[in-house]
Amino acid sequence: MIPIYEILAVTSLSFLLYHYILLPLFFSPLSKIPSAHWSSAISARWINTLRLNGKTGISETLSAHRRLGPIVRLSPDELSVASLDGLRKIYSGGFEKDESYVQEFMNYGTPNLVSMLGNKEHGMQKRMLSHVYSKSYIQNSEDVRKIAEGLVERLLGVLNNEEEKNFDAYGINQAIGADFMSAYLFGLGNATDFMTDIEARRTITREHRTKFKRLPGEEQATAIVERFVMGLCQAAARTIEKEELSETGTRPVVYSQLSSQLAKPMSPSESKDLIIASEMFDHFVASIETSRISLTYMEWELSRHPELQRALRKELLTLSPPLIRGETTLPDPKSIDALPLLNAVLKEVLRLYPPSPATLTRVTPPNGTTIEGCFIPGNIVIGTAAQCMHQNADVFPEPQEFKPERWLVEDEEKRKEMNRWFWVFGSGGRMCIGSHYAIHMLKLSIAAIYSNFETEIMDDEGIEQEDAFLAGPVGEKLVLKFRAVA
Ligand code: HEM
């Protein structure tokens, strides 16, 4: 007679073999989807090891798409998709976010737009803020106009002092994102002045990096940055209370919008101050990181291509009035936005160096979905990455080359097709709320810099993009020489 423990051992082994090897490899509805790595169908070890080492796995995922097509399996229950059908189903179909967002983006122990998982509460809070982030509001706002006047003067003043010296543009680019954003959130009079106060900028960005990258000292760093942003919120609240602005001051536009919306009945029951602070915190840091990455790669490409720099300057000088230091009024934001070459340079930089290149994950709904003809069951982690959309050679020929001229083609159908694949701000209900403000400040800053200066690369070692959720240059620097143009 066969001993009972042997029967148990064989049964357990058969179960394990079926459940962990045969089922995912041959019988799961996902088994027809090609694996990015030989082990992906049976284990999450490959992708998790990359992530545990601080990587996103984006270059490996991109190479899998190039080899295997628009839908690939990263682990037994995680897929990457790079197609328009995927975008539509996942991001416009209301698939919810997964837990990883809560851990990464919660501030003050309170959810915000980025970290909220449920679509209902998210939709409520987004509607409260959408108006002040719409393109027409930003382009017509008196506050935005005053912010632009004050900060363009500040930026040109700093660059004038640094003229002809070797200057790390990466730092000032970080400051541009902070000063422009905090002025819109909290009012110009309460905002940061990181362009001139270098020590304050270094402290806050160092502490935020420790928090975001979960480095040793994370807890203390989180407390420092949260206290800093809470201080800005309190200053904004005092400005609203006093109801008076100085000649050069502006209203705390975003802070007061959220504050007044939350004062309405039916608002969430958590502490109003914490909800606002958590939201403001995210907008502030989203702007710092993404602006410094986008501006740095724009300046790098323009410095590598002097002829393009000259063509851009020629276009910028058509602005009326020109954005030249000493002019007291700025051109209408709509006229800056409409410049074709400036637009093409920005779009090509955002395509080639998306600040957030990695997969934005969601979870399939309980009844599953069908993407690219494949049925995918419920509760599967699924997502798309800007890098994978932007590197499609059928849509963007020679996708690894910097070619702003591709955005200037006459063929309208071709431009529409590229725009459908241009996914730097995400899409659907969770698309970036700050995209119009970001485009406004990036175009304005580049227009101000290149109307007044030419730039030359002095040291670009480590300029290649890091493999990270927010991906700046590996070397964390770009040393340029700024030379005033007559
Ligand atoms: C070049 C600049 C920027 C890029 C490339 C960028 C990119 C993105 C992307 C890809 C998402 C979608 C995330 C997802 O679906 O999981 C997002 C969301 C978001 N971004 Fe941005 N962003 C930029 C600037 C900004 C700025 C200036 C702000 C400040 C308001 C901001 C605030 C946010 C917020 C609050 C969300 C969450 C929106 C939601 O879930 O409803 N971003 N951003």
Side-chain angles (χ1 to χ4, degrees):
M1 196 170 129
I2 307 169
I4 186 81
Y5 63 86
E6 278 190 22
I7 296 176
L8 280 176
V10 170
T11 315
S12 308
L13 270 176
S14 310
F15 173 77
L16 292 176
L17 180 71
Y18 173 76
H19 194 269
Y20 290 106
I21 312 270
L22 298 178
L23 176 67
L25 265 181
F26 302 111
F27 305 116
S28 150
L30 302 183
S31 56
K32 290 188 199 70
I33 296 174
S35 289
H37 183 257
W38 66 265
S39 65
S40 298
I42 52 171
S43 160
R45 199 187 161 89
W46 168 70
I47 192 75
N48 284 349
T49 308
L50 285 171
R51 288 175 184 159
L52 281 174
N53 287 325
K55 308 257 182 268
T56 63
I58 189 57
S59 51
E60 291 80 359
T61 307
L62 174 60
S63 114
H65 279 298
R66 283 195 176 126
R67 282 180 287 119
L68 305 167
I71 173 159
V72 296
R73 204 168 176 187
L74 301 178
S75 82
D77 48 16
E78 181 171 351
L79 302 176
S80 169
V81 180
S83 76
L84 295 180
D85 184 37
L87 282 197
R88 211 169 28 247
K89 301 265 175 56
I90 302 168
Y91 299 94
S92 300
F95 290 16
E96 295 199 342
K97 286 187 168 177
D98 67 294
E99 284 289 330
S100 62
Y101 283 88
V102 181
Q103 290 149 22
E104 299 288 338
F105 296 101
M106 181 100 95
N107 310 309
Y108 307 94
T110 306
N112 46 54
L113 288 181
V114 182
S115 67
M116 281 172 181
L117 295 187
N119 285 338
K120 201 167 159 226
E121 51 169 349
H122 168 268
M124 256 171 71
Q125 194 141 312
K126 194 148 191 177
R127 277 191 294 279
M128 294 182 190
L129 283 166
S130 301
H131 175 54
V132 294
Y133 279 117
S134 68
K135 185 169 177 174
S136 61
Y137 187 94
I138 289 165
Q139 291 193 335
N140 294 300
S141 158
E142 184 60 12
D143 293 295
V144 173
R145 189 188 61 74
K146 276 191 181 175
I147 292 170
E149 276 173 12
L151 296 187
V152 163
E153 194 184 324
R154 186 184 293 172
L155 170 64
L156 294 180
V158 171
L159 294 181
N160 226 37
N161 286 341
E162 299 299 331
E163 204 204 327
E164 292 295 346
K165 298 177 200 155
N166 288 358
F167 181 57
D168 182 12
Y170 196 53
I172 189 92
N173 291 341
Q174 200 172 41
I176 291 172
D179 292 0
F180 268 94
M181 195 68 236
S182 58
Y184 197 47
L185 297 171
F186 308 111
L188 192 53
N190 303 315
T192 55
D193 179 3
F194 285 179
M195 286 193 226
T196 39
D197 190 349
I198 294 165
E199 220 21 69
R201 167 170 61 79
R202 286 203 181 127
T203 308
I204 292 306
T205 50
R206 185 185 57 235
E207 300 301 337
H208 177 254
R209 187 173 188 273
T210 306
K211 171 190 186 306
F212 192 68
K213 298 218 164 192
R214 308 202 138 170
L215 302 174
E218 178 195 345
E219 223 168 280
Q220 200 193 355
T222 303
I224 293 173
V225 193
E226 287 190 346
R227 228 180 6 253
F228 179 75
V229 175
M230 188 57 92
L232 298 174
C233 289
Q234 286 159 349
R238 282 194 296 275
T239 302
I240 297 172
E241 227 172 80
K242 280 193 292 187
E243 285 184 357
E244 59 184 43
L245 289 177
S246 65
E247 183 78 345
T248 52
T250 61
R251 291 176 313 130
V253 176
V254 186
Y255 182 95
S256 40
Q257 171 75 8
L258 189 52
S259 171
S260 63
Q261 292 292 318
L262 286 170
K264 291 183 177 168
M266 305 293 291
S267 300
S269 52
E270 291 108 318
S271 154
K272 184 177 144 185
D273 289 346
L274 291 183
I275 296 175
I276 303 178
S278 179
E279 200 58 67
M280 300 299 110
F281 185 115
D282 252 10
H283 298 204
F284 181 56
V285 297
S287 176
I288 298 182
E289 298 298 326
T290 54
S291 306
R292 74 176 175 153
I293 298 168
S294 317
L295 288 170
T296 300
Y297 283 111
M298 269 201 277
E299 289 163 351
W300 184 60
E301 288 292 3
L302 285 165
S303 307
R304 293 170 75 206
H305 297 99
E307 71 300 343
L308 177 65
Q309 208 181 123
R310 278 192 292 277
L312 179 65
R313 185 165 305 109
K314 196 168 163 206
E315 181 183 79
L316 292 171
L317 292 176
T318 64
L319 287 167
S320 170
L323 246 166
I324 288 173
R325 194 162 186 229
E327 279 282 351
T328 46
T329 43
L330 294 184
D332 183 347
K334 291 188 215 73
S335 64
I336 301 177
D337 191 44
L339 294 174
L341 186 56
L342 177 61
N343 188 55
V345 170
L346 173 61
K347 279 192 105 160
E348 185 62 354
V349 163
L350 293 176
R351 182 195 70 80
L352 192 52
Y353 311 102
S356 177
T359 312
L360 302 174
T361 49
R362 301 290 187 268
V363 181
T364 52
N367 293 336
T369 185
T370 301
I371 294 177
E372 295 295 329
C374 301
F375 173 72
I376 298 156
N379 217 22
I380 296 292
V381 175
I382 193 163
T384 298
Q387 192 71 290
C388 297
M389 297 299 287
H390 294 179
Q391 287 293 319
N392 182 337
D394 294 335
V395 182
F396 304 104
E398 297 182 83
Q400 279 150 322
E401 298 299 315
F402 174 73
K403 291 184 152 195
E405 62 277 14
R406 69 173 91 239
W407 297 98
L408 296 168
V409 288
E410 296 274 312
D411 184 347
E412 202 185 326
E413 275 315 304
K414 180 70 200 153
R415 282 205 312 271
K416 276 191 188 154
E417 194 199 14
M418 289 193 297
N419 280 325
R420 282 193 287 270
W421 284 79
F422 181 70
W423 202 63
V424 72
F425 295 110
S427 56
R430 319 263 336 200
M431 185 181 162
C432 178
I433 198 171
S435 63
H436 298 299
Y437 196 74
I439 290 171
H440 161 77
M441 68 186 159
L442 296 175
K443 284 188 175 177
L444 179 65
S445 308
I446 288 295
I449 295 170
Y450 286 93
S451 295
N452 293 278
F453 296 94
E454 55 187 25
T455 59
E456 186 189 338
I457 297 171
M458 304 315 287
D459 180 0
D460 63 355
E461 201 185 327
I463 194 69
E464 60 282 5
Q465 223 173 353
E466 195 189 353
D467 176 4
F469 188 77
L470 287 166
V474 172
E476 297 190 15
K477 67 163 192 308
L478 171 63
V479 182
L480 297 178
K481 189 162 276 181
F482 287 80
R483 207 167 281 123
V485 285

